[in-house]
Short mmCIF file of all heavy atoms in Angstrom, two decimals:
data_model
loop_
_atom_site.label_atom_id
_atom_site.label_comp_id
_atom_site.label_asym_id
_atom_site.label_seq_id
_atom_site.Cartn_x
_atom_site.Cartn_y
_atom_site.Cartn_z
N GLY V 233 26.28 46.96 1.62
CA GLY V 233 25.65 47.07 2.93
C GLY V 233 25.12 45.75 3.44
O GLY V 233 25.29 45.45 4.59
N PHE V 234 24.44 44.95 2.63
CA PHE V 234 23.86 43.69 3.02
C PHE V 234 24.93 42.77 3.58
O PHE V 234 24.79 42.13 4.60
CB PHE V 234 23.21 43.05 1.81
CG PHE V 234 22.75 41.59 2.00
CD1 PHE V 234 21.81 41.40 2.92
CD2 PHE V 234 23.28 40.59 1.32
CE1 PHE V 234 21.34 40.05 3.18
CE2 PHE V 234 22.85 39.22 1.49
CZ PHE V 234 21.92 39.00 2.41
N ALA V 235 26.08 42.74 2.87
CA ALA V 235 27.15 41.83 3.29
C ALA V 235 27.69 42.26 4.67
O ALA V 235 27.90 41.45 5.63
CB ALA V 235 28.36 41.82 2.28
N VAL V 236 27.84 43.60 4.91
CA VAL V 236 28.36 44.04 6.24
C VAL V 236 27.44 43.69 7.28
O VAL V 236 27.74 43.18 8.29
CB VAL V 236 28.69 45.64 6.13
CG1 VAL V 236 28.99 46.16 7.50
CG2 VAL V 236 29.82 45.88 5.16
N ALA V 237 26.10 43.90 6.99
CA ALA V 237 25.13 43.65 8.01
C ALA V 237 25.00 42.19 8.32
O ALA V 237 24.84 41.82 9.50
CB ALA V 237 23.76 44.16 7.44
N LEU V 238 25.05 41.33 7.31
CA LEU V 238 24.97 39.86 7.54
C LEU V 238 26.21 39.40 8.44
O LEU V 238 25.98 38.65 9.38
CB LEU V 238 24.92 39.10 6.21
CG LEU V 238 24.74 37.60 6.37
CD1 LEU V 238 23.35 37.27 6.87
CD2 LEU V 238 24.87 36.91 5.01
N GLU V 239 27.30 39.80 8.09
CA GLU V 239 28.56 39.47 8.81
C GLU V 239 28.32 39.81 10.32
O GLU V 239 28.58 39.09 11.24
CB GLU V 239 29.81 40.07 8.17
CG GLU V 239 31.10 39.53 8.65
CD GLU V 239 31.60 40.23 9.95
OE1 GLU V 239 31.34 41.39 10.08
OE2 GLU V 239 32.18 39.43 10.73
N ARG V 240 27.87 41.10 10.47
CA ARG V 240 27.75 41.62 11.80
C ARG V 240 26.61 40.82 12.59
O ARG V 240 26.79 40.46 13.75
CB ARG V 240 27.50 43.08 11.80
CG ARG V 240 27.37 43.67 13.14
CD ARG V 240 27.33 45.21 13.14
NE ARG V 240 27.28 45.61 14.48
CZ ARG V 240 27.35 46.94 14.86
NH1 ARG V 240 27.33 47.88 13.86
NH2 ARG V 240 27.35 47.30 16.09
N ALA V 241 25.56 40.62 11.88
CA ALA V 241 24.33 39.95 12.48
C ALA V 241 24.86 38.60 13.05
O ALA V 241 24.39 38.22 14.14
CB ALA V 241 23.18 39.83 11.60
N GLN V 242 25.64 37.89 12.29
CA GLN V 242 26.02 36.54 12.66
C GLN V 242 27.13 36.57 13.79
O GLN V 242 27.14 35.80 14.75
CB GLN V 242 26.49 35.72 11.42
CG GLN V 242 25.35 35.16 10.62
CD GLN V 242 24.43 34.23 11.45
OE1 GLN V 242 24.73 33.02 11.58
NE2 GLN V 242 23.25 34.76 11.89
N ARG V 243 28.06 37.60 13.65
CA ARG V 243 29.08 37.65 14.61
C ARG V 243 28.54 38.02 15.99
O ARG V 243 29.00 37.50 17.05
CB ARG V 243 30.10 38.72 14.16
CG ARG V 243 31.30 39.04 15.09
CD ARG V 243 32.46 39.83 14.38
NE ARG V 243 32.04 40.81 13.46
CZ ARG V 243 31.72 42.09 13.73
NH1 ARG V 243 31.75 42.54 14.95
NH2 ARG V 243 31.32 42.95 12.77
N GLU V 244 27.52 38.84 16.01
CA GLU V 244 26.93 39.44 17.25
C GLU V 244 25.67 38.72 17.72
O GLU V 244 25.00 39.16 18.56
CB GLU V 244 26.72 40.88 17.17
CG GLU V 244 28.00 41.64 16.68
CD GLU V 244 28.23 42.88 17.49
OE1 GLU V 244 27.97 42.87 18.67
OE2 GLU V 244 28.73 43.81 16.82
N ARG V 245 25.36 37.63 16.96
CA ARG V 245 23.98 37.15 17.15
C ARG V 245 23.66 36.61 18.58
O ARG V 245 22.54 36.83 19.04
CB ARG V 245 23.69 36.06 16.05
CG ARG V 245 23.89 34.67 16.48
CD ARG V 245 23.74 33.66 15.36
NE ARG V 245 24.50 32.52 15.63
CZ ARG V 245 24.16 31.61 16.53
NH1 ARG V 245 22.97 31.67 17.12
NH2 ARG V 245 25.00 30.57 16.85
N GLN V 246 24.66 36.04 19.26
CA GLN V 246 24.36 35.58 20.63
C GLN V 246 24.10 36.73 21.57
O GLN V 246 23.23 36.68 22.41
CB GLN V 246 25.53 34.63 21.17
CG GLN V 246 25.32 33.25 20.66
CD GLN V 246 26.60 32.41 20.46
OE1 GLN V 246 27.72 33.11 20.37
NE2 GLN V 246 26.49 31.20 20.46
N ARG V 247 24.86 37.74 21.41
CA ARG V 247 24.62 39.03 22.26
C ARG V 247 23.23 39.61 21.93
O ARG V 247 22.50 39.89 22.81
CB ARG V 247 25.69 40.07 21.93
CG ARG V 247 25.81 41.11 23.00
CD ARG V 247 27.15 41.81 22.88
NE ARG V 247 27.33 42.57 21.63
CZ ARG V 247 26.84 43.77 21.36
NH1 ARG V 247 26.10 44.34 22.31
NH2 ARG V 247 27.12 44.37 20.20
N TYR V 248 22.97 39.75 20.68
CA TYR V 248 21.59 40.24 20.25
C TYR V 248 20.51 39.44 20.84
O TYR V 248 19.45 39.86 21.32
CB TYR V 248 21.38 40.40 18.75
CG TYR V 248 22.31 41.38 18.06
CD1 TYR V 248 22.46 41.37 16.64
CD2 TYR V 248 23.02 42.36 18.76
CE1 TYR V 248 23.29 42.29 15.99
CE2 TYR V 248 23.85 43.27 18.10
CZ TYR V 248 23.97 43.20 16.69
OH TYR V 248 24.80 44.05 16.07
N ALA V 249 20.68 38.09 20.63
CA ALA V 249 19.65 37.13 21.11
C ALA V 249 19.37 37.21 22.58
O ALA V 249 18.26 37.24 23.07
CB ALA V 249 20.03 35.73 20.69
N ALA V 250 20.47 37.38 23.36
CA ALA V 250 20.35 37.37 24.83
C ALA V 250 19.70 38.67 25.16
O ALA V 250 18.75 38.67 26.11
CB ALA V 250 21.78 37.33 25.47
N HIS V 251 19.98 39.79 24.51
CA HIS V 251 19.35 41.09 24.84
C HIS V 251 17.81 40.97 24.57
O HIS V 251 17.06 41.38 25.39
CB HIS V 251 19.99 42.09 23.95
CG HIS V 251 19.38 43.45 24.01
ND1 HIS V 251 19.49 44.31 25.11
CD2 HIS V 251 18.59 44.13 23.14
CE1 HIS V 251 18.83 45.36 24.88
NE2 HIS V 251 18.22 45.34 23.72
N CYS V 252 17.48 40.43 23.37
CA CYS V 252 16.09 40.34 22.97
C CYS V 252 15.35 39.43 23.97
O CYS V 252 14.17 39.74 24.34
CB CYS V 252 15.97 39.83 21.58
SG CYS V 252 16.47 41.12 20.28
N LYS V 253 15.96 38.32 24.36
CA LYS V 253 15.20 37.32 25.22
C LYS V 253 14.93 37.93 26.53
O LYS V 253 13.87 37.78 27.06
CB LYS V 253 16.14 36.07 25.33
CG LYS V 253 15.38 35.02 26.09
CD LYS V 253 16.07 33.66 26.07
CE LYS V 253 15.31 32.62 26.83
NZ LYS V 253 14.76 33.04 28.07
N THR V 254 15.95 38.67 27.11
CA THR V 254 15.71 39.38 28.46
C THR V 254 14.49 40.25 28.34
O THR V 254 13.65 40.21 29.20
CB THR V 254 17.00 40.25 28.82
OG1 THR V 254 18.07 39.31 28.75
CG2 THR V 254 16.83 40.80 30.21
N LEU V 255 14.44 41.09 27.27
CA LEU V 255 13.37 42.07 27.13
C LEU V 255 12.07 41.42 26.71
O LEU V 255 11.00 41.77 27.26
CB LEU V 255 13.79 43.13 26.08
CG LEU V 255 14.93 43.97 26.52
CD1 LEU V 255 15.29 44.97 25.45
CD2 LEU V 255 14.66 44.68 27.81
N ARG V 256 12.08 40.39 25.92
CA ARG V 256 10.83 39.63 25.56
C ARG V 256 10.29 39.00 26.72
O ARG V 256 9.07 38.99 26.98
CB ARG V 256 11.28 38.59 24.47
CG ARG V 256 10.09 37.98 23.67
CD ARG V 256 9.46 36.80 24.25
NE ARG V 256 10.40 35.75 24.69
CZ ARG V 256 10.81 34.65 23.95
NH1 ARG V 256 10.51 34.49 22.75
NH2 ARG V 256 11.62 33.81 24.57
N ASP V 257 11.15 38.32 27.61
CA ASP V 257 10.62 37.67 28.85
C ASP V 257 10.06 38.66 29.83
O ASP V 257 8.96 38.47 30.40
CB ASP V 257 11.79 36.92 29.48
CG ASP V 257 12.17 35.63 28.66
OD1 ASP V 257 11.46 35.28 27.70
OD2 ASP V 257 13.18 34.96 29.02
N LEU V 258 10.66 39.79 29.94
CA LEU V 258 10.21 40.89 30.78
C LEU V 258 8.83 41.32 30.28
O LEU V 258 7.81 41.41 31.01
CB LEU V 258 11.17 42.05 30.82
CG LEU V 258 10.66 43.35 31.55
CD1 LEU V 258 10.60 43.07 32.99
CD2 LEU V 258 11.57 44.57 31.19
N PHE V 259 8.71 41.53 28.95
CA PHE V 259 7.47 41.93 28.32
C PHE V 259 6.35 40.92 28.59
O PHE V 259 5.21 41.33 29.02
CB PHE V 259 7.71 42.15 26.81
CG PHE V 259 6.42 42.44 25.96
CD1 PHE V 259 5.86 43.68 26.13
CD2 PHE V 259 5.82 41.48 25.33
CE1 PHE V 259 4.72 43.92 25.42
CE2 PHE V 259 4.69 41.75 24.54
CZ PHE V 259 4.12 42.95 24.62
N GLU V 260 6.62 39.69 28.38
CA GLU V 260 5.69 38.63 28.54
C GLU V 260 5.23 38.46 30.00
O GLU V 260 4.07 38.26 30.38
CB GLU V 260 6.11 37.28 27.85
CG GLU V 260 6.23 37.45 26.41
CD GLU V 260 6.47 36.23 25.61
OE1 GLU V 260 6.64 35.14 26.26
OE2 GLU V 260 6.27 36.24 24.33
N ASP V 261 6.20 38.60 30.97
CA ASP V 261 5.90 38.50 32.34
C ASP V 261 4.91 39.60 32.72
O ASP V 261 3.89 39.34 33.41
CB ASP V 261 7.13 38.57 33.18
CG ASP V 261 7.91 37.29 33.15
OD1 ASP V 261 7.49 36.33 32.62
OD2 ASP V 261 9.20 37.34 33.59
#
Side-chain angles (χ1 to χ4, degrees):
F234 171 65
V236 170
L238 183 68
E239 191 275 325
R240 183 169 184 180
Q242 284 296 282
R243 181 166 32 90
E244 307 225 35
R245 94 185 154 81
Q246 274 152 339
R247 195 161 66 79
Y248 293 167
H251 173 74
C252 287
K253 185 171 183 313
T254 305
L255 295 179
R256 197 268 318 263
D257 290 351
L258 172 70
F259 174 75
E260 293 191 349
D261 285 349

